[in-house]
Amino acid sequence: MNNVALPFESFGVSHKGCVREHNEDNYLVEPQTGLWVVADGMGGHEAGEVASASIVDHLATIGIASSAPDLRARFEDRLSRANAEIRRISRTRGITIGSTFAALLAMDGRFACLWAGDSRIYLIRNASISQVSRDHTEVQELLDRGVISEAEALTWPRRNVITHAVGVSDDVVIDFQQGELMPGDIFVLGTDGLTAHVSDAEIEAAAVAGKPRAACESLLQTVLARGGTDNVTIVLVKIGDARNGQTLHPDRPRAGE
């Protein structure tokens, strides 16, 4: 990847799960441009798939940025274009469609995590996992206000209601966190099909146990073994030590098994 101080290795997988007939998730692994994305479409077959594909297709045109601020600006421009396209499709079809997304940008030894909806980004650093993103859901808002407890949130009737997503309004509402990359950092991006079946501790254990491809495949198999009630998409990025030599990034497999 252009101008990144630390090497990395990354991989991604996507599967329709055990219940859904179609995969409305999409993902992007673009190490050369410093971009990794997962997107979870909403609106039913074809509609949701179109929304998540629009995000991925537009972001795939970013190209090589000249700096970290340039990469961020290109990202936001492409996301805005995707939002406009999804809005046009919604008007044409007379329905509301959209997509969550979670993205990792990395350049010049720094990272930025951006998201809308309940697709998540985790950072594993110094043998500890933390959720970088914060869900844009009704249940998370209730938790933040102290209206319900963590235990109640697990069975709350409207726990899956999304409050922000790309394509549902004229303006895209996103959150972000940024910081310095550290040798040994591991980022895990996943749609809610992952987090519905696998705990944070299990995500950490799989991520640190092997290379990104093995970790992604292990997590996917765990989801499927537990019923895979939704589409599931996982992207994992491991940051190495500059002394280890060249950056590693296996070819991206095709999404949507």
Side-chain angles (χ1 to χ4, degrees):
M1 181 174 62
N2 188 38
N3 293 332
V4 171
L6 297 169
F8 56 85
E9 187 175 1
S10 59
F11 198 79
V13 294
S14 188
H15 196 285
K16 67 183 180 63
C18 302
V19 176
R20 302 292 178 89
E21 293 185 1
H22 307 284
N23 192 355
E24 295 182 78
D25 286 1
N26 271 282
Y27 73 98
L28 188 65
V29 172
E30 290 285 347
Q32 293 82 2
T33 57
L35 174 63
W36 298 264
V37 183
V38 298
D40 181 357
M42 305 176 295
H45 174 50
E46 293 186 350
E49 184 178 336
V50 165
S52 62
S54 177
I55 292 174
V56 166
D57 290 347
H58 279 87
L59 291 176
T61 70
I62 280 180
I64 305 299
S66 61
S67 64
D70 181 38
L71 178 60
R72 172 74 179 271
R74 291 179 184 221
F75 178 92
E76 293 181 351
D77 171 71
R78 280 13 175 232
L79 193 66
S80 179
R81 295 184 195 184
N83 187 72
E85 179 178 76
I86 297 167
R87 298 288 287 162
R88 287 194 297 271
I89 295 170
S90 293
R91 288 192 293 269
T92 300
R93 299 188 180 186
I95 57 174
T96 298
I97 66 174
S99 179
T100 73
F101 83 89
L104 169 67
L105 282 64
M107 193 170 192
D108 295 338
R110 295 188 60 79
F111 73 86
C113 295
L114 304 97
W115 69 94
D118 60 354
S119 289
R120 290 182 179 176
I121 307 170
Y122 291 93
L123 170 60
I124 301 167
R125 175 179 285 177
N126 297 327
S128 177
I129 188 170
S130 60
Q131 184 180 331
V132 179
S133 59
R134 192 165 189 82
D135 294 350
H136 293 147
T137 58
E138 283 192 8
V139 74
Q140 185 63 57
E141 290 183 355
L142 292 172
L143 280 168
D144 291 344
R145 286 159 40 201
V147 175
I148 61 174
S149 67
E150 292 282 355
E152 289 173 318
L154 296 175
T155 57
W156 196 255
R158 291 170 59 85
R159 63 187 177 279
N160 295 322
V161 176
I162 304 297
T163 55
H164 297 311
V166 180
V168 298
S169 61
D170 290 335
D171 297 319
V172 185
V173 178
I174 63 174
D175 272 341
F176 77 95
Q177 292 285 343
Q178 58 188 0
E180 276 190 51
L181 292 171
M182 302 294 290
D185 283 351
I186 305 173
F187 291 90
V188 181
L189 287 66
T191 57
D192 64 339
L194 170 66
T195 52
H197 295 285
V198 185
S199 70
D200 292 4
E202 290 172 321
I203 291 173
E204 178 184 5
V208 301
K211 291 182 176 294
R213 178 169 188 160
C216 286
E217 292 175 347
S218 174
L219 288 168
L220 174 59
Q221 290 308 310
T222 299
V223 170
L224 298 179
R226 295 176 180 176
T229 56
D230 199 355
N231 306 150
V232 55
T233 301
I234 309 156
V235 169
L236 194 145
V237 184
K238 283 194 173 186
I239 309 301
D241 189 316
R243 294 171 298 179
N244 290 343
Q246 285 189 320
T247 296
L248 304 172
H249 47 82
D251 292 337
R252 168 183 180 261
R254 296 184 65 85
E257 294 179 14

